[in-house]
Amino acid sequence: MQEYKIYIGGEFSKTGGKLEVLNPFDNSIVAETCLAGKNELETAIEKALSVQSEMRDLPLYKRYGILMQIARQLEEKSNKLALILALEAGKPFKYAMGEIKRAIQVFTIAAEESKRLPKEYISIDWTAAGDKKEGLVKYFPVGLIAGIAPFNFPLNLAAHKIAPAIASGNPIIIKPARLTPLSVLELAKIIDQTELPKGAFSVLPMDREAGNQLVTDERFNMLSFTGSPNVGWQMKANAGKKKVALELGGNAGVIVSDQSDLELAVKKCLVGGYAYSGQVCIHVQRIIVHEKVFDKFVERFITETKKLKFGAPDDEATDISVMIDETNAKRVETWVDEAVNDGAAILYGGKRKGAYFEPTIITNTKREMKVCALEIFGPVVTIEKFSHFSQAIDMINDSEYGLQAGVFTKFISEMNQSFNEIEAGGVIINDVPTFRVDHMPYGGIKNSGFGREGVKYAIQEMMEPRLLIKNTNY
Amino acid sequence: MQEYKIYIGGEFSKTGGKLEVLNPFDNSIVAETCLAGKNELETAIEKALSVQSEMRDLPLYKRYGILMQIARQLEEKSNKLALILALEAGKPFKYAMGEIKRAIQVFTIAAEESKRLPKEYISIDWTAAGDKKEGLVKYFPVGLIAGIAPFNFPLNLAAHKIAPAIASGNPIIIKPARLTPLSVLELAKIIDQTELPKGAFSVLPMDREAGNQLVTDERFNMLSFTGSPNVGWQMKANAGKKKVALELGGNAGVIVSDQSDLELAVKKCLVGGYAYSGQVCIHVQRIIVHEKVFDKFVERFITETKKLKFGAPDDEATDISVMIDETNAKRVETWVDEAVNDGAAILYGGKRKGAYFEPTIITNTKREMKVCALEIFGPVVTIEKFSHFSQAIDMINDSEYGLQAGVFTKFISEMNQSFNEIEAGGVIINDVPTFRVDHMPYGGIKNSGFGREGVKYAIQEMMEPRLLIKNTNY
Amino acid sequence: MQEYKIYIGGEFSKTGGKLEVLNPFDNSIVAETCLAGKNELETAIEKALSVQSEMRDLPLYKRYGILMQIARQLEEKSNKLALILALEAGKPFKYAMGEIKRAIQVFTIAAEESKRLPKEYISIDWTAAGDKKEGLVKYFPVGLIAGIAPFNFPLNLAAHKIAPAIASGNPIIIKPARLTPLSVLELAKIIDQTELPKGAFSVLPMDREAGNQLVTDERFNMLSFTGSPNVGWQMKANAGKKKVALELGGNAGVIVSDQSDLELAVKKCLVGGYAYSGQVCIHVQRIIVHEKVFDKFVERFITETKKLKFGAPDDEATDISVMIDETNAKRVETWVDEAVNDGAAILYGGKRKGAYFEPTIITNTKREMKVCALEIFGPVVTIEKFSHFSQAIDMINDSEYGLQAGVFTKFISEMNQSFNEIEAGGVIINDVPTFRVDHMPYGGIKNSGFGREGVKYAIQEMMEPRLLIKNTNY
Amino acid sequence: MQEYKIYIGGEFSKTGGKLEVLNPFDNSIVAETCLAGKNELETAIEKALSVQSEMRDLPLYKRYGILMQIARQLEEKSNKLALILALEAGKPFKYAMGEIKRAIQVFTIAAEESKRLPKEYISIDWTAAGDKKEGLVKYFPVGLIAGIAPFNFPLNLAAHKIAPAIASGNPIIIKPARLTPLSVLELAKIIDQTELPKGAFSVLPMDREAGNQLVTDERFNMLSFTGSPNVGWQMKANAGKKKVALELGGNAGVIVSDQSDLELAVKKCLVGGYAYSGQVCIHVQRIIVHEKVFDKFVERFITETKKLKFGAPDDEATDISVMIDETNAKRVETWVDEAVNDGAAILYGGKRKGAYFEPTIITNTKREMKVCALEIFGPVVTIEKFSHFSQAIDMINDSEYGLQAGVFTKFISEMNQSFNEIEAGGVIINDVPTFRVDHMPYGGIKNSGFGREGVKYAIQEMMEPRLLIKNTNY
């Protein structure tokens, strides 16, 4: 069996805490690695702090070189990496490969952005008090960053923390999800070959105590967390003086107007609803269709859902596979059952086998049902109808969350109204909320998050402005 | 009779060349002023050059103070100025007042932009060759500017050269149109009261020889011309090493889609077609209407056109008055007659009385008729129909000109297609091409111009970047 | 005696909780006002929430109009306001007038920035996944803001919260310091006369319970606090999901290089050290002088310190007056005494009379003495010497705080090193850290704060980006 | 002998006009290619126009892919290309390799910038006239570009036109210098392998008539010329309506202050003065040294100059080789002789052998001597002394040219004064004017040029803004 050392302060090491990584599809052991405790974390922190000023002063062409080397290595090893990712996360291979491609993008964009860090040159003589003075604003790295990544995009959501950290000149310690540490440990092997100062990057699967220290230890100047809302908001309260970025989830909705391309809407909702069994922060959970086209949409959507091919994650033909574990599948089952008991109707699917939950379509839901109100993080969509566009927007906004929303429409006015009134970090016209490219600003409002990722935006959050005021004469 | 001295290098002076300014409505003399010749221009140039470095070094709070003082004085004197403008240009009072209000905006915006001149702070260490270096880009005033303004917006189109010149720290010499020098000479009185260094601003109505020197004299570093295409392009060829900005005319078109707010289109086209008798660079000359709504549009447009009230320019109730002179009215008459002889049909108007030409609507035109192909600069619109949206865009683009275009539509796709494919400096959705606010980038492509105005954009054209490369270590 | 109603949700009202405002110079009553409790705060919150969407949709020309009207009214009433401010805060009149002038600037700049809110137009087709898509990023108001202002700049530090809130379209509730509520209540009278929707702005001096609710109530989307570090950081922990901006204090230092303009340094340090008895966040607390010029500097600095004129705050000739209250003067006395007991030497001053503490110069201090390590917020400066420039920077950085620092030098290399290595939000070359103009980014790192003010920067913190992704074809 | 076809509208073709390319070192034939005439140019133009809209619509990821592929291919073939370049231009191999490396940078940067084309999203409601409207500014490709490149950087100065043209979506026809067409024809082979639409790029060595058509033909929307001032300015007059960018030469100067790193100055001036025998637009022609360090500088500079190793261009050890041809070497000889006859003194060098001119140092020059006043474009520097810094700046500015200048100093005040007062496109502190990295804005004022290159800046000049105004409500 393959063994993975963890990456502590620039060295691959073993610890006493064994961690087995299982394939969710058949519970076979994919590989074995280990957990870091307080001591290993301390080592990583100290190494990171010791290279902080070296990182700050790293010339841009070196940052660029390091980041591009990572991107190219990811490209070379993409098949191998996609397979590891498929196995540890139970993610169908074609989606796993998509994730690798996006991670390549993330490092490439970060390489480019490292040469374009924010810098301002401002005039100061707006009043006589500032006569013969001018200002420069340079953005300095914020300091040591703790990055906590989730199981659902184990490589790319870690990349969204690592790549900006390197680009902005910050050391970073990454805690992957316990279930899925392997792909990011593979990334560590790649990064270890670059000229990145040793200690600037660590990957530590952790026990609870060490994990908690990422939040509370004041030597970290920033905490970047991607995960569930409850955990995230609690971290914000405990984070002390550090900056906090939270990428949490939601119950993203789609509006399908009567004047829209219905086939496009069906095709996109299929991916948004079922990709990786809906274990995606911007999974399409609520589809809201104009009453004029409701029946047609439902019929077409069921037809297409039926065509999805179940299989093992490492099979390239697989469209949908198991969920991350049986616990989660059972949770989804319970929520669906509750909804049905409370009056909802299943249009398709609804059944569980082990960790597999069928692609499922529900209607006649009520807003307070868990399948509507909470983040389902499973292959379940609800479909409801609306009469007026404003009503559809109200339905979208009737949520604690606000990450992204999708709107299918041909009308300028509906596009404008959606942009002005939908309470979310992003509104996607003629596509699903699941749409994300890696350079766009991404993040939620309301309970869905705090701050923005998307390489340039993450870099900005990882830096602090410093103003220089100087004379223009002497 | 009132006499106006001209403003030469910071002093109000008289010259030998008398210039009478007539009211186009009744040919009464509005006031008397004088023409500058070679000598007066020489004085103005020398004074301007002598304060060039003082202007360059003028602190921003002083530029702001000067520009805001001008704006406030224009506001205080707006009634008087609007009247002078109405009389010298034959412009209906309500439009004259609109022009004053816009000039106030231009100086206000320039005051604000003077504090926000472009400045860049860039990293240089993208390769090892640039290690430990960084760059600052500061924009310096280009140098002495010649501004040539037309008769149709005698105050505001001069303001679009003067205000950015002051904001950017450049001296400027303005040549107003001979027919309409008064409002800008009133402006000179206001500016003379500010702390602007004397000599940094001159207003010189000129004879032909002196006017030509604005183009050829190499001491001018920039020529900013607003006027007719033929004159403008010839100037570019003769301008030597100086920068040239040309704001020329066009034969602006409007598309009215079958899916659009027809009443809005009618209302807007009425203003765009007939305001100031169409003597506007972005006058609505060609209206292109979807065949499904053509008849309805035409009927409503004729109905509204009939309601326009003819009168003296200084009458607040007047909608439409005489053209700038009888020569121009006769030119328009000839073009319309030619079109009719060549098969076009007059739907409304078409007659001339002295310098007055009726609001006129023509249809059945051909692309090569002067009323279509050239800039009519009179109160004449053509209306034609189209079947497919792409055809409408082709009709708009079938022109030597490309200033602005208007599109009335409710569809995202038609908006997108218009933006991507209409060859013009600006595309106005659900409004006429005549739409302009003073901070937006404004200018034409093809034969319609060269460069952009709109305060911030004009400022940019009036400045030259200078790069400082410095070390970051020693 | 004058009575001030407080401004609750757009209405001037009285409450049961009487609040007397005293002149710190003679403890005479300046005026009487009242305290808001839980109920009044509830009213203010509800009114604010009810106009939230109206504020969001307020056209920019209206925001501009409101903000400029406030600026002009402040200008008209500046003498009266400066007097009130002098009396409530014990601030020498000339500094009080300076604060009014800066508040005028703040509203003027906010008016201008309201027209320049951040907006991005980005390409999305960096990969095939984004083909034929593009993005718009619009910044929306974050929501209801709680602003807590300190006693030392009662008007201008409130203005730095109010003006950006209006510019960005957010309602705001301001809690002034209990000691100094009058000038901001005067501001409320001015704002009440504008077209700002009633309820969008409230001024509530509060009791402790209500004050605490500003921090914890989740209906506030942002808390902007200016005050002491301990209070501020505790607020961050209790703030729940809201954004937090903290402008805290520091123990700002100045470096005087051997190659510098010594007279300039003396003159600037005099103001930085003693203006408003050092009750300024960026008060010059630690002066670090090159050993070659140390004696000369000290001699000149003492000489100039002696010339400062003590007097009543409302006397225009007064340079220095009492501190805000005797408690604070006694605290400063204790810290100075402790330092002396621990080996420090007083070079000048050091004595207290009632609430007055003399301008005081200390040397031979140690880093852990309170006069060095904590924020003294009194008219006390320490002067120490250094040999090498790197040592001076280390001394500056040897602090929990990092707000601003000043460096007097003629060398490019020392300027560069200061910018790269001084851990502070701002580094002021050839001026004191006390330098601030109101449009520059301002704020501390380390324990000195979180986030940035300076109108444009405060506006940015008060807004949330929302991304629109749209097609470019259909 | 190797034969090169030329690249006409996407096809490699031969024409009747034979062109032999000689090695300037020994007049051996390097290769043979051919000249395009009117017919071939017509073909290239027509092909270019036929793909104009395809180029405009090319998705950014494709532009990026094409440009990165070019960069990588240049890297792979860099040795071969450097050799060709050394032979055709007589450029010492190490400088030829440096040029290849820079060309790789140019394409890499252009790839990155293609994803960051300028785009603006602006508010329009600054007055009631703009209520409920907003604007988008998208930059569209200007249209067909003519690029004329010089012999001295045959690959990289062509790359500075080609790469931005591709990034901005414009077709381009390149005319290389007749003496040095080979390296850019090699580039054509690389580009031909990419997915760039055939016809979007042509390389045509031309006869005079065809060359002239690049200037006058109105189907070209832009002319980008790098070459000599006289030719360039004449082109501007003949260019009709098209945009013109001129990168011309100068007589760049360096100031060496008494407070500066003298060894650094010597080392940098050596490269700036003699690299590629001074046939560089920003060659160090005039060195101005403070009188206190003049003798020392001169002695050290002569010592170092003596060490330069003469040799064949393809020898890696060669520091200096022949000039481009004997005609030019004779011209330099004549200018130097004239200077000597007029009182100047040769401190080192001054002799010619065939096309080789020795590295030469002259002093006691007068401003009107050709070696001072004109662009020498040969391995000759003049050294003069100054007393006050302002005098040095006057000496730099006493020139018709203004491309770049260098200043060696340790003082902030001298850096500031240089930036404010030196009339040039760039001021390089502690380095020579010869400093250039490929992303920085580069270009001259006065007679030295018109417009800016540097990838991002060239892209901007190759695009036209188009404004879309749209409603925000319906």
Side-chain angles (χ1 to χ4, degrees), chain B residues 56-57 105 109 112-113 120 122-127 129-130 133 136-140 233 236-244 261 264 268 404 415 418-431 435-437 439-447 449-452 456-457 460 464-471 474, chain D residues 56-57 105 109 112-113 120 122-127 129-130 133 136-140 233 236-244 261 264 268 404 415 418-431 435-437 439-447 449-452 456-457 460 464-471 474:
Chain B
R56 182 195 67 192
D57 295 339
Q105 273 295 307
I109 298 167
E112 296 167 12
E113 292 297 333
E120 298 166 51
I122 59 178
S123 55
I124 293 296
D125 55 343
W126 291 19
T127 59
K133 283 182 159 57
L136 298 179
V137 187
K138 200 172 188 163
Y139 286 72
F140 285 80
W233 291 113
K236 179 171 182 290
N238 298 337
K241 289 166 186 154
K242 65 177 65 63
K243 291 178 88 170
V244 173
D261 181 336
L264 179 72
K268 296 283 188 175
Q404 294 199 141
M415 177 173 78
S418 301
F419 194 21
N420 287 335
E421 297 180 7
I422 288 181
E423 298 162 10
V427 175
I428 319 292
I429 302 299
N430 291 321
D431 211 325
F435 180 83
R436 183 179 182 189
V437 290
H439 70 287
M440 80 188 208
Y442 173 79
I445 56 170
K446 294 161 98 175
N447 281 6
F450 197 78
R452 289 295 179 281
K456 189 174 87 171
Y457 303 87
Q460 196 121 12
E464 278 281 353
R466 185 179 300 161
L467 171 69
L468 181 82
I469 301 268
K470 59 182 276 295
N471 304 93
Y474 65 96
Chain D
R56 183 195 68 192
D57 296 338
Q105 273 295 308
I109 297 166
E112 296 168 12
E113 293 297 333
E120 298 167 52
I122 60 179
S123 54
I124 294 295
D125 56 341
W126 291 20
T127 59
K133 283 181 158 60
L136 298 179
V137 187
K138 199 171 189 165
Y139 287 70
F140 284 80
W233 291 114
K236 179 171 182 292
N238 297 338
K241 288 167 187 156
K242 64 177 65 63
K243 291 179 88 171
V244 174
D261 181 337
L264 180 73
K268 295 284 189 176
Q404 294 199 139
M415 177 173 77
S418 300
F419 194 21
N420 288 333
E421 298 180 7
I422 288 180
E423 297 161 12
V427 176
I428 319 293
I429 302 299
N430 292 320
D431 211 325
F435 180 83
R436 182 178 182 189
V437 290
H439 70 287
M440 81 188 208
Y442 172 79
I445 56 170
K446 293 160 98 174
N447 282 6
F450 196 78
R452 290 294 179 282
K456 189 175 86 171
Y457 302 88
Q460 196 121 14
E464 279 280 353
R466 184 180 301 163
L467 171 69
L468 180 82
I469 301 266
K470 60 182 275 296
N471 304 93
Y474 66 96

Side-chain angles (χ1 to χ4, degrees), chain B residues 334-354:
Chain B
T334 310
W335 291 15
V336 169
D337 289 351
E338 279 180 25
V340 170
N341 289 336
D342 207 22
I346 294 178
L347 294 175
Y348 183 76
K351 284 187 289 293
R352 183 182 66 80
K353 263 181 243 160

Side-chain angles (χ1 to χ4, degrees), chain D residues 74 111 144 190 245 248 367 372 408 429 451:
Chain D
L74 285 173
L144 180 55
I190 289 173
L248 312 175
R367 60 177 300 282
C372 297
F408 289 87
I429 302 299

Side-chain angles (χ1 to χ4, degrees), chain B residues 101-112:
Chain B
K101 290 220 170 101
R102 286 188 47 198
I104 293 167
Q105 273 295 307
V106 169
F107 282 98
T108 303
I109 298 167
E112 296 167 12

Side-chain angles (χ1 to χ4, degrees), chain D residues 2-210:
Chain D
Q2 206 186 343
E3 241 184 285
Y4 281 81
K5 291 180 181 169
I6 64 176
Y7 193 57
I8 309 174
E11 295 195 23
F12 286 97
S13 315
K14 289 177 69 168
T15 75
K18 201 174 84 170
L19 178 65
E20 283 181 345
V21 180
L22 305 182
N23 176 347
F25 188 68
D26 56 11
N27 286 320
S28 60
I29 298 178
V30 180
E32 199 178 290
T33 181
C34 51
L35 283 178
K38 229 176 155 35
N39 290 341
E40 289 85 7
L41 178 54
E42 191 59 30
T43 304
I45 292 174
E46 280 167 16
K47 281 300 294 274
L49 293 175
S50 74
V51 296
Q52 200 161 355
S53 67
E54 188 183 351
M55 281 298 289
R56 183 195 68 192
D57 296 338
L58 207 61
L60 302 186
Y61 65 93
K62 289 201 177 160
R63 299 187 196 189
Y64 178 87
I66 291 163
L67 288 159
M68 285 303 277
Q69 184 179 338
I70 298 170
R72 283 171 189 174
Q73 285 299 307
L74 285 173
E75 197 157 19
E76 263 189 32
K77 302 186 179 169
S78 53
N79 257 293
K80 181 187 165 193
L81 283 166
L83 186 61
I84 291 169
L85 208 153
L87 295 177
E88 69 175 344
K91 178 175 286 190
F93 186 83
K94 65 182 174 194
Y95 290 112
M97 184 55 95
E99 184 174 345
I100 305 298
K101 291 222 170 100
R102 285 188 48 198
I104 294 166
Q105 273 295 308
V106 169
F107 282 97
T108 303
I109 297 166
E112 296 168 12
E113 293 297 333
S114 75
K115 299 192 295 192
R116 294 167 175 85
L117 300 177
K119 271 179 151 64
E120 298 167 52
Y121 180 16
I122 60 179
S123 54
I124 294 295
D125 56 341
W126 291 20
T127 59
D131 200 16
K132 307 250 177 271
K133 283 181 158 60
E134 61 184 14
L136 298 179
V137 187
K138 199 171 189 165
Y139 287 70
F140 284 80
V142 71
L144 180 55
I145 297 173
I148 302 180
F151 78 82
N152 62 337
F153 288 87
L155 182 66
N156 197 39
L157 293 182
H160 268 290
K161 303 181 191 316
I162 299 163
I166 295 173
S168 55
N170 287 296
I172 184 166
I173 297 173
I174 281 283
K175 174 188 171 306
R178 281 198 205 195
L179 296 170
T180 57
L182 301 183
S183 48
V184 73
L185 286 169
E186 287 288 344
L187 175 62
K189 293 181 192 171
I190 289 173
I191 293 180
D192 189 60
Q193 297 300 311
T194 70
E195 285 189 51
L196 187 74
K198 294 293 173 267
F201 174 58
S202 289
V203 181
L204 275 64
M206 288 182 206
D207 61 28
R208 186 163 302 271
E209 190 194 2

Side-chain angles (χ1 to χ4, degrees), chain B residues 249-256 265 269 272-274 278 280-290 294 297 301 360-363 365-386 391-408 422-424 431-434 446 448:
Chain B
N251 54 356
V254 170
I255 300 173
V256 181
C269 286
Y274 303 124
V280 174
C281 309
I282 33 181
H283 155 247
V284 170
Q285 185 164 343
R286 300 178 295 151
I287 305 178
I288 300 168
V289 185
H290 192 280
F294 184 83
F297 180 89
F301 191 65
T360 296
I361 308 169
I362 315 182
T363 191
T365 58
K366 297 182 194 128
R367 60 178 300 282
E368 60 280 3
M369 291 175 176
K370 284 183 188 147
V371 293
C372 297
L374 301 184
E375 179 175 30
I376 188 134
F377 229 61
V380 176
V381 305
T382 68
I383 308 193
E384 304 298 341
K385 68 179 67 160
F386 72 92
Q391 185 195 357
I393 289 187
D394 288 344
M395 289 166 78
I396 290 285
N397 285 345
D398 183 15
S399 164
E400 282 180 13
Y401 299 103
L403 195 41
Q404 294 199 141
V407 179
F408 289 87
I422 288 181
E423 298 162 10
D431 211 325
V432 278
T434 323
K446 294 161 98 175
S448 286

